[in-house]
Structures are given as C-alpha cells and as structure tokens.
Amino acid sequence: MLDQKDLRPKDLGRPDEQLIKLETYNLMPLLPPYDKPGMQPPISEPKPAWREKYCASLDGFIGLDTLTRPQTKEEEDEFVRKFLSGLEKIFSDANNGILEPLLLSFEYCAKCNTCSEACHIYKAAGDNELYRPIFRSEVLRKVVKKYFTKSGKLLGGFVGADIDVNWETIARLGELAYRCNLCRRCAQTCPLGLDNSILSKEIRKIFSQEMGIAPTPLHNKGSMLQLKTGSSTGLTKPAFLDTLEFLEEDTEEKFGIKLKFPVDKKGADILVLHNAGEFIAWPENPVAFAILMNEAGLNWTLSSEMMGYDSVNYGLWYDDVQAKKIALAQMKAAKELGVNRIIVGECGHAHKASIVAGDRMAYGDAKVNVESCLPLLWDLVQSKRLKMDPSRNNFPVTLHDPCNVVRQMGIVEPQRNVLREICPQFREMTPHGVDNYCCGGGSGFAIMNALNFPQFRDNVASRMKFNQILGAFQGKMEDASQVKYICAPCSNCKGAMRAILEHYDATEKFNLQYGGLVELMVNALVSMKRPYFEFLE
Amino acid sequence: MFLSLIAYAAILLFLGLSAYKAYQFSKLPLHGRMELYPVPKEKGFEHGGSFYEEISWWKKPREVSHVREIVEMFKEIVFIKTLFENQRPFWWLSYALHLGIYFIFVWTFLLVAGAVSMLNGIVVAANTTSVWGLLLFYLTYITGIIGLVLAALGSGLLVLRRMFDSTLKKYTTPQEYFNLLLLFAAVVTGIITWSSDFSFNSAREVTAGIITFTPFAANGLLVVHVILVGIMLIYIPLSKMSHYVGKYFTFHTVLWDNSPNLRGSAIEQKVKTATSYRPTTTWSAPHIQAPSSTKK
C-alpha cells in the first residue's frame, strides 16, 4: 500500500493488494457539531471474500459489482484486450455524439491543476491524490498514448506512455471512474474549458458498451429493467395504477383532500413525468405536485403507458446507447398521449436527459417540447394562483442546487424565488447556484448501495455537501427542537440526503429534515387544514 | 536567403497548420449538448441563468448577446480570466508567458513595419524627425523589452515550478518540459542576440533583410535563434501548445453552445444529418444490438 501523497498515475498497475486506504481522521474536518470525536462512524475494511471476487485493490471500495476477477491468464488478457478495443472506439464514429468535446478534453490538458480545488471528492478525501481530477484523466491518456499514438509507440515515457497495462490497471481504472460524480464543477474552473468528467464517463462507457460491465443498480436493475417493465423500479402499469389509487385514498385520509391523479388524459396540455422512485420512496412529492396542479386548475395528466411514467434515464451516467433508447421511448409515450409539453418533476438527471441530452436525439414530429417544473412552480406562486401562507414554513430552510438542473441547465432563480416567497427563514448554502457542490449522489452514486460503496459515498462523496448543510444551519444545529429543512428538488439528491442524514444520525440527533420544493409549497397552502409535514405535527 | 526561407516557411506553416487544426475541429460531427453555466450570451448571465428559466421556453424569442460572449472571450484571451480567478499563484507565471508572447507578436509586427518604413526612406530612430519613425522606434523598443523579458521569465519559471512543485512534478511529462524549454530557448537566444542593441536597430535591419530576401551577415547565434524560432513556430500547432485553437472550440462550441434544436432551426438540419448517419464501428456489449445507435 502506498502513502497517497506518493501515488502517481503510472502506479495504477502496481501489484499491491490495495493502492491506498482511507481513514476518517484523514478526511476533511466536519463543522460543528460533527467536529467532536465519536461523531463519525469509522470506515471498515472490505471483506476478504470481496477482495477475492471483485476489484477492491484501488481504495478498498467496490462500485462495479459486476466486475469480477478472472480465473485464468487468458481471461485476464481478454479483459485487457476488450478494454483496449473499446478505448479505440471512443475515438471512432461509434462515438460521434461526444467526439469533439472528448478530443478537446483529451488533448489539451496543460496540467495546471486548477481543477483539483474545485472537486468536492478530492477536497473531502483530504486532498487525496487518487481522487485528483487529473489523476484518472492522466491514466487514460497514458494508456491511449501507449497503444494508439505514434509518439507513444516511438517515444514511450518521453510523451507519458509509461504505464504498465494489466488486469489490475484496467479494473482499477474502471473503479476509479466511479469515484467521480460527473458534476462538472472542475470543468467550470478549467482555464482551457476542459472537462475531466467526460473522460470519467468515457471509461464507464467502455466498460458498459464494450465489455458489458456496469453497476447492477444502474444497468441490470436500472436501464435494462426500465426498458423491460417501463420503470427502473420495476413498477409495472397495474402496480403503478394501484399505487396512485392508494395515494389518493391515503391523501384523503390524512388531509381530507379528495385527490384525483389524472391518468392518460388524451390531449392534456401537460404530461408530468416523475422519477417513479418518488412514488415508492417519497410519495409525498408526486402527491404534492398533484395537489398544486389541481388547485391551480392546470390541464395535466400522468401517463400509465410503457415508459410514460418514469422520467429516469440512468444511461446518462454510463451508457449512451441505453440513454438514447430510453429518451426516445419516453418521447414516444408523450407523443402518443398527444400532450403539448412534458414537464419534468423534481429529478435532476431526468431534467438533463430529457431536456438537454434528448434535445439532439430526435427532430421534427418525433420531438416533444420538454421543460422543467421549476419555472411553472414559481409562476404559480408569483401569479398568486395559489394562496400561500409563508408563516407555516417558519423554520430554517436551505436549498441544495442539483448540478444537472443548475450548473448544467442554468435554472437557478425560479426555485429560490419560490423559497424567498414562502420560507421566511430561507438561507443559502456557501457556495450556491451554479457554483454549488454536488450532493455526492450524482451519476448513480445515490442508488449504488451494493457491497461497501455506500461507505465511500457517505464518508467522502457527500461530505462536502454535509458540511455545506451544517454551515447553512450554524447557530441552529444544536437545538434539536428546531426543525431544519434541506430543500433538494431532485430525487437522486434526496437519496444522497437520506443516506448522509442516516449515516450521521442527523435527523434523530439534530432534527435535520429533507425533502423537495413542492412539499414546502403545499405546506404553505392556505387551503391545507393541517401541516403537510409529519415532523411538524 | 537561408534565414529568409526558414522565417517564411515557419510563419506559413504556423498559420497553415493552426488553420488546418481549426478546420479539423470545425468538421467534427454534431455533438450532444454540454453547456456549463454561466453562459455569457444568455440574458441570465449574471446569475448563471438560461432560457430554461422561462415557462414554455420554446415559444419565447431567443435573446442572446453575442457582444457579451465576445467580451468574455476577450477577457479569457487577454487576461486568462478563469486561471486568474481560480489559481492566482499559477496565473502570475502563466500570464507572464502569455503576455510576453502577445508583446512579442506586436513587437514582430512593429519590426516588420519599421523595416518596411526604413526601406521606404523613413528613419526609424530616437533622433528622427519623422513622428511615425519615432513612434515605431519607441513602441518597438518597449514591446520588445517587455515581451522578451516576460516570455523568458514566464517560460523559465514555469519549468522551475513544474520541477519543484511536488504535485505538478508527478503529472508533467518530459515532453511538457521540452515544450516550455523550447519556448525558453527561443526567447533567450533572442535576448542574447539582440543584447548588444536593445534599441532593436539591428533587429530591424535583419527583418528588412529577411523580408527582401537580401543576404546579410549573420553570426552563429542569430542563425541558431532564427532556426529555434522556426522550429518552435512549426512545432506549436502540432503540439498541445496549440490550445489557442482548442480553447475557442471548448468554450464557443461546447460550454457556451446553448443552441436548442428548435423547429426550422439550423441545428435541426444538423440533427437530421447526424441521426441519419450509420456508424462504421459498433459496440460489442451483449445488450447492444447491432448496428449501434449511439447518440450522434
């Protein structure tokens, strides 16, 4: 094992059982009240059986649960061969959709190292060399130079083609691609406009599209399940309709509201596309949407047709082919319903997938107009179509900016305008807006709960966000009688919030609550007879 | 004659290869959108906003400010703004080098202007009666001194910084040291060559000789300097030092692109072409049915 400070990109092929090890005392310190000893759970060692089966030789964590160790030398060689074959393809016309940004980011890095300070994972891990944004990129460059450039073949180490490529190198590189949230904050600070996350994602793509290796929650139980059943949750049409019926009854029972979800309403103006996980994990969110839209008198509907009731598109994180299949199927479902527009609910990556990535996947009649729910929600508040009583939200509220919605789409103000209007104690995190940090759940981390990966996510990836939250509530944290609400208008971000609050036992100890934006809006509705939040009861 | 040929060939190759590089990037297929905010041409630039902040954005007139984009690009090119904001210690060195290069560019133009003026009978000197000659003399003098000193300091100190910074050392390849040392050598040989006459009268005479293909007496140092500058000019567009080309594309066509695929737009036409393209290479994973249909 190496001291992380001595680690160099070419060390990725070293035969060590594990390259580096993370200890909680080396991580970025947390703010009060989590600065005291014993407030953080320790990081445990991977089980010996996991070391034998998977690639735990990077930092001890395992994200790629479908990457298993080969039994023979032939299998090892075949693994490397397949990777190299995929690596060549990312620079071919099979990858046209990203070729220009990829070539630019691949060729022009000046190694000024400006990106490191912007990376929440690098900083949270205590400036750990392994997670430096250019570390991974440089490994990839070395491999490409070694095998696919004349200069690398002729001049070797002079141009940086000095890495040993073996099973361990490639497997570790695959794991390392899942130590980046693809939040693109580093790209914002690059003087040359380059983007390390493109290279992380390309590695993930080679593993998935060429080698058939991707984390189970993203692929087999994610995009594959969605294409088969209509939802990555496995929720089928009958189950979805049952769920809606249950939620209608439950809402009436709890709040006395006769709620009706419009379903498959032909020719409705709006199709609301939710992350189907919301119906299972946070049903209060789609219920709140329905309450608001019904009260505002909007002509809207949900779809119960195949691919019409789940906005997620995990392909965005690891596989362009899956991403395109899903995006086109979702557009088709909306087309068949004859709606004017799709409104994407509170799900960040679905925003990016349907509105930005999907934008250039189809044209003409095949394309549907898609927009974010956030401008609509602000309009409902601003135009006074909904009667609100802000005093009902009179507790500290902070806002998390989902990277996909804010940094990558420029939807910055509508959600904070709503909060400024309906939450008297709204306060910003530092930094916020387009400069905000990822929640640590981005690019699939929020749903990657297999083996010991949650330990990496909760201790490292979400650490900066947890500190931002603690910072926003300084002075209020210790008072456990005081509700403190983290507004995260994104399903994945909520998943990450749920995980860190559990990890640090922060709801139990300090009354730190989390949820979306629409829940706060419904809680402030004058027409509500009782608080929408259970924690206010 | 020999030096004239080198000079002309190097300049032509520098321009030609740079233009070819730009042409290659401009011919790459349409890529998926990858904006990062703030995007200068958007009217919500101040808070990093975009047209997506509006309801039914596709119905609203697209308001973009190309002037603001040009202003922001200008700040990047002239001041390396992003580096200034995000890594000040490195910016001092990098900016010294870049500013030095900009001054040397201007100085070169002034030398040519001075040489052409001289050939037309205008005296370019401190004691000339011609205002133009006087202006050229002093501007050449100032830009030359500043340019050479800054470029030498910048390139030299960047080499040292890379050698002695424990992080940068790990990531800098021998080729990257070579790149900086080539710039340093080209500039330092220039400083030594002209050190006997920092008013650059001899440099102007050499420039005149080069422009007119007139043979002139050249010492060994001058020959080495011209050859080094020639090699540098040809090598830059072939290496990653051609980031002056790449940077335009990373910002203008990737991070600040922001052109939605609206009905009847030019982008729609490009999407049409891209989606009808059938790739010659396909992915091999079992879940991907041939032919591949990656995002185009």
Side-chain angles (χ1 to χ4, degrees):
Chain A
M1 202 171 306
L2 284 164
D3 179 343
Q4 58 87 8
K5 289 192 182 73
D6 301 326
L7 190 67
R8 296 160 305 168
K10 68 176 183 182
D11 291 329
L12 216 65
R14 283 170 61 111
D16 306 49
E17 186 187 49
Q18 188 176 319
L19 275 185
I20 61 140
K21 186 171 185 292
L22 287 184
E23 303 282 4
T24 24
Y25 54 81
N26 286 331
L27 305 180
M28 179 184 75
L30 290 174
L31 289 173
Y34 284 88
D35 54 343
K36 298 174 191 73
M39 294 290 276
Q40 298 177 53
I43 298 172
S44 59
E45 292 273 330
K47 292 178 186 168
W50 293 351
R51 287 193 193 280
E52 274 174 36
K53 189 173 178 191
Y54 306 103
C55 174
S57 63
L58 184 73
D59 50 6
F61 302 109
I62 303 149
L64 272 170
D65 58 345
T66 50
L67 169 59
T68 49
R69 286 192 176 270
Q71 303 302 313
T72 63
K73 178 78 176 63
E74 286 70 35
E75 282 176 21
E76 275 189 22
D77 294 345
E78 176 61 7
F79 176 82
V80 174
R81 190 201 62 73
K82 267 181 153 175
F83 176 82
L84 293 176
S85 145
L87 185 55
E88 194 171 16
K89 287 180 189 174
I90 64 171
F91 297 102
S92 76
D93 66 356
N95 210 22
N96 269 357
I98 187 75
L99 211 48
E100 184 178 348
L102 168 63
L103 286 172
L104 290 163
S105 288
F106 186 82
E107 280 181 18
Y108 282 118
C109 178
K111 321 271 179 70
C112 69
N113 193 30
T114 309
C115 46
S116 300
E117 288 301 307
C119 174
H120 61 291
I121 291 184
Y122 170 73
K123 296 306 291 178
D127 295 0
N128 193 304
E129 199 63 36
L130 183 63
Y131 309 121
R132 195 184 284 288
I134 54 171
F135 183 94
R136 182 189 306 105
S137 305
E138 205 45 26
V139 172
L140 191 72
R141 285 193 191 96
K142 284 181 186 298
V143 180
V144 171
K145 279 183 186 160
K146 182 166 180 161
Y147 288 94
F148 302 112
T149 67
K150 284 194 187 90
S151 62
K153 284 175 186 164
L154 286 171
L155 302 169
F158 182 76
V159 295
D162 55 357
I163 193 166
D164 284 335
V165 176
N166 50 48
W167 188 89
E168 216 67 57
T169 321
I170 303 303
R172 283 173 177 156
L173 186 60
E175 272 296 337
L176 195 51
Y178 287 92
R179 301 294 183 273
C180 163
N181 279 117
L182 311 183
C183 80
R184 304 182 68 209
R185 194 172 191 272
C186 62
Q188 256 179 338
T189 64
C190 175
L192 294 170
L194 313 180
D195 193 339
N196 288 295
S197 83
I198 293 178
L199 304 185
S200 298
K201 189 176 156 187
E202 289 307 303
I203 300 168
R204 294 182 180 196
K205 277 167 56 184
I206 297 169
F207 270 77
S208 178
Q209 295 175 196
E210 187 70 8
M211 306 161 81
I213 298 169
T216 303
L218 309 194
H219 189 66
N220 287 335
K221 291 189 177 166
S223 65
M224 291 301 274
L225 188 61
Q226 187 178 12
L227 287 166
K228 193 174 153 205
T229 64
S231 168
S232 61
T233 57
L235 198 69
T236 56
K237 178 174 176 165
F240 176 64
L241 292 172
D242 277 353
T243 306
L244 294 183
E245 204 180 313
F246 165 77
L247 292 176
E248 286 168 350
E249 287 164 11
D250 189 54
T251 307
E252 182 167 7
E253 201 176 294
K254 275 188 189 157
F255 305 108
I257 299 172
K258 280 203 177 301
L259 181 70
K260 187 73 199 153
F261 284 102
V263 181
D264 299 331
K265 192 170 143 191
K266 288 268 176 197
D269 175 32
I270 297 167
L271 166 65
V272 177
L273 203 49
H274 287 297
N275 178 323
E278 296 279 344
F279 291 102
I280 294 160
W282 302 283
E284 64 278 8
N285 183 277
V287 167
F289 260 100
I291 294 173
L292 295 173
M293 298 190 87
N294 287 348
E295 185 154 330
L298 298 172
N299 179 13
W300 71 289
T301 187
L302 294 175
S303 165
S304 71
E305 293 305 320
M306 183 73 178
M307 302 303 285
Y309 55 91
D310 195 351
S311 66
V312 309
N313 190 339
Y314 297 167
L316 194 71
W317 303 322
Y318 76 101
D319 191 308
D320 286 349
V321 183
Q322 296 291 86
K324 187 167 182 175
K325 280 183 200 164
I326 293 168
L328 293 180
Q330 288 165 335
M331 280 185 219
K332 191 164 166 268
K335 267 282 159 203
E336 283 167 4
L337 210 50
V339 296
N340 293 326
R341 51 186 168 147
I342 296 176
I343 284 193
V344 184
E346 294 184 13
C347 178
H349 90 277
H351 268 72
K352 168 100 183 281
S354 337
I355 306 176
V356 181
D359 185 51
R360 290 182 179 174
M361 289 181 186
Y363 60 89
D365 284 340
K367 205 160 175 286
V368 187
N369 293 318
V370 199
E371 63 183 310
S372 164
C373 61
L374 299 171
L376 175 77
L377 295 174
W378 168 228
D379 185 62
L380 296 181
V381 174
Q382 186 186 27
S383 63
K384 312 278 184 213
R385 280 174 86 172
L386 299 172
K387 286 209 168 52
M388 303 281 200
D389 173 8
S391 69
R392 296 185 182 187
N393 285 333
N394 194 15
F395 44 84
V397 173
T398 192
L399 174 67
H400 163 65
D401 287 299
C403 304
N404 283 307
V405 176
V406 181
R407 179 165 28 257
Q408 304 192 39
M409 284 183 68
I411 304 175
V412 186
E413 283 297 299
Q415 60 274 39
R416 23 183 61 78
N417 284 340
V418 172
L419 294 180
R420 284 176 198 132
E421 199 72 28
I422 66 165
C423 297
Q425 296 191 50
F426 168 57
R427 74 270 319 275
E428 293 279 12
M429 291 183 190
T430 308
H432 58 265
V434 292
D435 299 321
N436 200 18
Y437 285 106
C438 169
C439 60
S443 80
F445 286 18
I447 54 167
M448 286 166 63
N449 288 314
L451 306 167
N452 61 355
F453 192 75
Q455 288 211 21
F456 175 78
R457 179 191 61 214
D458 301 340
N459 282 296
V460 183
S462 294
R463 194 176 191 83
M464 186 66 88
K465 180 52 57 183
F466 191 56
N467 248 0
Q468 279 196 290
I469 294 166
L470 297 176
F473 292 131
Q474 280 304 293
K476 303 277 183 189
M477 273 308 294
E478 310 270 1
D479 180 3
S481 65
Q482 171 73 72
V483 164
K484 292 159 284 278
Y485 187 91
I486 310 153
C487 173
C490 164
S491 304
N492 263 286
C493 302
K494 279 194 297 199
M497 297 298 162
R498 178 178 58 191
I500 37 174
L501 296 188
E502 270 173 27
H503 181 74
Y504 294 108
D505 205 11
T507 306
E508 189 68 30
K509 284 181 178 158
F510 300 108
N511 209 352
L512 217 45
Q513 309 287 345
Y514 75 99
L517 179 66
V518 282
E519 294 91 317
L520 282 168
M521 289 175 70
V522 171
N523 193 55
L525 276 182
V526 171
S527 59
M528 288 293 285
K529 302 282 182 286
R530 55 188 288 196
Y532 192 59
F533 294 114
E534 271 179 29
F535 55 73
L536 291 179
E537 293 277 5
Chain B
M1 281 295 279
F2 170 64
L3 294 183
S4 294
L5 282 176
I6 291 181
Y8 277 103
I11 290 169
L12 284 176
L13 279 170
F14 173 79
L15 295 174
L17 289 169
S18 300
Y20 181 64
K21 197 135 205 169
Y23 172 78
Q24 282 181 313
F25 276 118
S26 70
K27 287 289 157 198
L28 285 171
L30 181 72
H31 57 81
R33 287 178 48 201
M34 303 203 68
E35 290 85 18
L36 266 187
Y37 293 83
V39 171
K41 70 182 176 189
E42 288 299 318
K43 69 174 181 183
F45 174 58
E46 291 301 324
H47 67 262
S50 76
F51 54 90
Y52 289 128
E53 290 188 319
E54 302 204 37
I55 293 182
S56 298
W57 54 268
W58 56 90
K59 289 184 184 164
K60 309 279 162 67
R62 224 22 211 104
E63 287 178 47
V64 290
S65 164
H66 295 294
V67 173
R68 204 161 42 227
E69 176 165 330
I70 291 166
V71 169
E72 287 303 310
M73 273 197 176
F74 182 81
K75 286 185 198 165
E76 270 304 322
I77 295 165
V78 179
F79 302 113
I80 324 182
K81 182 190 158 205
T82 314
L83 192 59
F84 178 80
E85 287 174 348
N86 295 296
Q87 204 191 167
R88 198 68 53 85
F90 199 87
W91 177 86
W92 286 105
L93 307 184
S94 178
Y95 192 55
L97 172 62
H98 286 87
L99 192 62
I101 291 170
Y102 296 159
F103 270 100
I104 289 173
F105 260 118
V106 176
W107 175 64
T108 310
F109 277 110
L110 289 168
L111 280 178
V112 172
V116 172
S117 302
M118 232 167 60
L119 293 168
N120 285 292
I122 299 170
V123 180
V124 180
N127 55 0
T128 179
T129 50
S130 155
V131 177
W132 175 244
L134 207 61
L135 193 68
L136 278 180
F137 176 81
Y138 279 111
L139 283 178
T140 311
Y141 174 66
I142 294 165
T143 53
I145 298 279
I146 296 176
L148 291 169
V149 169
L150 282 180
L153 273 178
S155 54
L157 290 173
L158 278 173
V159 172
L160 293 177
R161 167 134 184 158
R162 288 192 173 277
M163 284 170 70
F164 295 107
D165 180 299
S166 60
T167 300
L168 294 181
K169 197 163 72 178
K170 285 185 203 170
Y171 294 89
T172 309
T173 62
Q175 185 186 22
E176 285 154 354
Y177 286 114
F178 169 81
N179 294 351
L180 284 169
L181 286 170
L182 179 62
L183 298 185
F184 182 73
V187 175
V188 168
T189 51
I191 292 176
I192 302 170
T193 306
W194 314 123
S195 60
S196 57
D197 172 24
F198 273 128
S199 63
F200 300 120
N201 284 324
S202 54
R204 229 177 333 265
E205 276 161 22
V206 168
T207 310
I210 286 175
I211 292 173
T212 55
F213 285 92
T214 313
F216 55 87
N219 61 25
L221 196 62
L222 177 64
V223 174
V224 171
H225 173 58
V226 173
I227 290 175
L228 273 177
V229 171
I231 290 172
M232 180 190 78
L233 284 175
I234 299 166
Y235 176 71
I236 284 175
L238 297 173
S239 74
K240 71 175 184 183
M241 285 191 285
S242 63
H243 58 236
Y244 51 91
V245 176
K247 189 165 175 171
Y248 169 79
F249 289 93
T250 55
F251 281 93
H252 181 72
T253 69
V254 181
L255 300 181
W256 298 349
D257 178 10
N258 231 21
S259 309
N261 170 15
L262 292 169
R263 284 248 174 162
S265 64
I267 287 289
E268 190 183 42
Q269 279 308 312
K270 288 186 186 172
V271 172
K272 222 170 173 172
T273 314
T275 43
S276 62
Y277 179 77
R278 291 286 158 260
T280 54
T281 316
T282 53
W283 297 98
S284 308
H287 68 279
I288 295 171
Q289 305 296 310
S292 165
S293 52
T294 46
K295 192 168 64 149
K296 295 169 199 76

